[in-house]
Amino acid sequence: MNVPTHLGLDLDQIFDAHFAEIHRYIAQRLSRDDADDLAGEVFLIAAGGGYESSRGEVRPWLYGIATKLISRHRRSEIRRWRALSRTSEREAQSHEDTTLTRVTAGRLTGRLAGALAGLNSGDRDVVLLVALGELTHREVAAALKIPYGTVASRLNRARKQLRKALGDVNPLKEAHDG
């Protein structure tokens, strides 16, 4: 996959360095099937241009592309969070329920999934870029093309809402400042 020279980047190297983490981020937000399609689309969009070296590193730019693609799937994502919430609250009765419960149990509890579904999309994007993508505040700002202070305020607001929904338990790491 040769990159057009207007990017000034070697897309093969970028792909090799970042595909797995972009795929993992998308799979955690949507599904593995969606991640298979959307991760490839991230790099097709990247090959088309748009990267501005003045904005910083390539990694947050790729996460920004991924987050925009994910937003197109927002409805199914919210339905998934709500379904995870309901699934953990009921006793598994079928093989499908048992499998879904087992797969999601290690990553999210039902209450957290419900709380995430209740966040506004901007706050949820910031939380998930920090928690799943392990991006710093600066990287999130670059990925979403928003000011650093906006990242901090969205994360603070989301933390308060999530703590309240989870009974004053902090589900996020505080050490993602950067």
Side-chain angles (χ1 to χ4, degrees):
M1 189 183 312
N2 292 327
V3 179
T5 55
H6 67 274
L7 273 180
L9 304 168
D10 182 351
L11 192 59
D12 287 332
Q13 289 176 342
I14 293 170
F15 182 89
D16 291 342
H18 300 288
F19 180 82
E21 72 177 293
I22 295 295
H23 184 275
R24 184 173 41 256
Y25 171 68
I26 295 169
Q28 290 173 320
R29 297 252 341 236
L30 298 173
S31 71
R32 283 191 127 7
D33 290 338
D34 289 331
D36 292 343
D37 295 334
L38 293 181
E41 193 173 338
V42 166
F43 290 91
L44 286 174
I45 291 169
Y51 173 70
E52 299 170 18
S53 60
S54 64
R55 298 211 89 168
E57 299 293 321
V58 171
R59 181 175 177 253
W61 176 61
L62 294 172
Y63 273 97
I65 294 169
T67 299
K68 285 181 183 175
L69 290 173
I70 289 167
S71 72
R72 293 182 187 163
H73 290 80
R74 182 80 58 212
R75 286 185 187 176
S76 62
E77 178 186 30
I78 290 171
R79 282 193 303 266
R80 179 175 175 258
W81 292 125
R82 288 184 178 142
L84 288 172
S85 176
R86 287 189 306 272
T87 299
S88 71
E89 292 171 1
R90 70 175 191 248
E91 186 177 329
Q93 296 179 354
S94 70
H95 175 69
E96 183 178 325
D97 286 340
T98 303
T99 302
L100 180 60
T101 300
R102 191 177 318 127
V103 168
T104 60
R107 288 191 287 166
L108 296 171
T109 65
R111 287 179 32 206
L112 177 57
L116 285 168
L119 294 175
N120 73 50
S121 63
D123 292 354
R124 185 174 42 253
D125 286 342
V126 169
V127 166
L128 295 175
L129 282 168
V130 170
L132 301 179
E134 298 181 6
L135 270 64
T136 65
H137 284 65
R138 287 198 199 301
E139 291 173 322
V140 172
L144 298 178
K145 298 180 182 176
I146 59 175
Y148 180 91
T150 301
V151 172
S153 65
R154 286 182 182 180
L155 192 55
N156 185 49
R157 181 175 47 247
R159 282 177 173 155
K160 286 179 183 177
Q161 290 176 319
L162 292 172
R163 276 188 202 123
K164 183 177 179 183
L166 298 174
D168 291 324
V169 174
N170 185 359
L172 303 175
K173 296 177 188 173
E174 301 282 339
H176 284 290
D177 298 325

